[in-house]
Amino acid sequence: MILVPTEANHKKALEMATNKAFNGKTMLDNGSGQYAGNLAELLFKGALSDRFLEHEYTAATSYHFDFKIGRATVDLKAKQRTVQCLPSYDTHVNLYQKDYPCHYYVFASVLIPKGEKLATNVNFMGWCRKSDYWNTCEIKRKGQNSDGLIEREDGGKKKYNELQPMESFFSKIETHLYQQAFGE
């Protein structure tokens, strides 16, 4: 699912960025990845709204997840890239987040071509139950060479092509909301 941001999306994502690291584990200098993360969250929020799925955007108030949809919690993992993301690329979730209280991960790739400041698109690569992710991912350690890249933090990795497609997320979350509303 590839979404193209509007001028309003860019403006809001930039306004939300503090350009300071959220914590000592923030990977990009000066929190420079915040724009990409904010943009992905805003577009995901829009996708939920477009499907009339009731949700709460909790990124500003919750350290452990970005959305609450019924009783389900979702942590959106966005990665800023200068090239189009391929299904054979890796997801990454920091190991210290393994015990965070969240139900699902949604993975997005934010394309900001070299020399550009704004993203041209956000590709939602797929989703995974948090428990399934940690049961099936490969643990990589800080300093370890992983496909030519040196890991900055301990974390779990899994290929994007091993994730569930986004449309199945929306249908499952719609079923969850229906069951919650009608007690089934």
Side-chain angles (χ1 to χ4, degrees):
M1 178 175 88
I2 298 175
L3 299 178
V4 176
T6 65
E7 190 174 319
N9 294 141
H10 290 300
K11 183 178 178 186
K12 181 69 175 169
L14 288 166
E15 285 173 5
M16 293 166 62
T18 64
N19 297 319
K20 295 177 184 161
F22 284 131
N23 58 48
K25 300 293 187 183
T26 298
M27 291 194 175
L28 297 177
D29 293 335
N30 300 321
S32 63
Q34 290 176 14
Y35 158 74
N38 294 339
L39 186 63
E41 289 170 2
L42 291 169
L43 291 177
F44 185 72
K45 182 179 185 306
L48 291 169
S49 294
D50 290 348
R51 288 166 174 81
F52 303 102
L53 297 171
E54 290 184 35
H55 62 277
E56 182 182 349
Y57 182 40
T58 60
T61 57
S62 170
Y63 185 68
H64 301 114
F65 51 86
D66 301 308
F67 293 89
K68 192 168 184 185
I69 307 168
R71 292 187 190 125
T73 54
V74 178
D75 193 8
L76 195 144
K77 301 296 186 185
K79 187 163 187 165
Q80 181 176 309
R81 298 181 188 278
T82 58
V83 297
Q84 201 65 255
C85 185
L86 298 177
S88 60
Y89 289 4
D90 288 325
T91 66
H92 179 95
V93 180
N94 287 329
L95 190 59
Y96 70 87
Q97 296 178 350
K98 184 178 180 180
D99 294 323
Y100 282 7
C102 117
H103 298 107
Y104 302 103
Y105 293 136
V106 169
F107 294 91
S109 180
V110 181
L111 179 62
I112 305 175
K114 282 190 188 225
E116 299 292 323
K117 293 188 182 197
L118 299 177
T120 56
N121 68 58
V122 177
N123 190 351
F124 290 86
M125 301 297 292
W127 69 279
C128 190
R129 279 188 172 87
K130 183 189 117 178
S131 58
D132 292 344
Y133 187 88
W134 290 107
N135 286 335
T136 60
C137 72
E138 185 178 348
I139 301 297
K140 299 287 185 170
R141 298 294 176 188
K142 182 177 179 176
Q144 184 176 353
N145 186 324
S146 179
D147 295 330
L149 300 172
I150 302 302
E151 296 296 330
R152 296 183 195 177
E153 287 291 330
D154 292 349
K157 290 205 165 201
K158 184 178 183 97
K159 301 285 183 199
Y160 287 108
N161 59 19
E162 296 173 1
L163 301 174
Q164 298 294 315
M166 286 307 300
E167 282 311 312
S168 73
F169 175 82
F170 293 118
S171 67
K172 286 185 185 298
I173 211 70
E174 186 174 3
T175 300
H176 163 78
L177 288 171
Y178 179 85
Q179 290 170 338
Q180 184 178 330
F182 297 103
E184 292 182 16

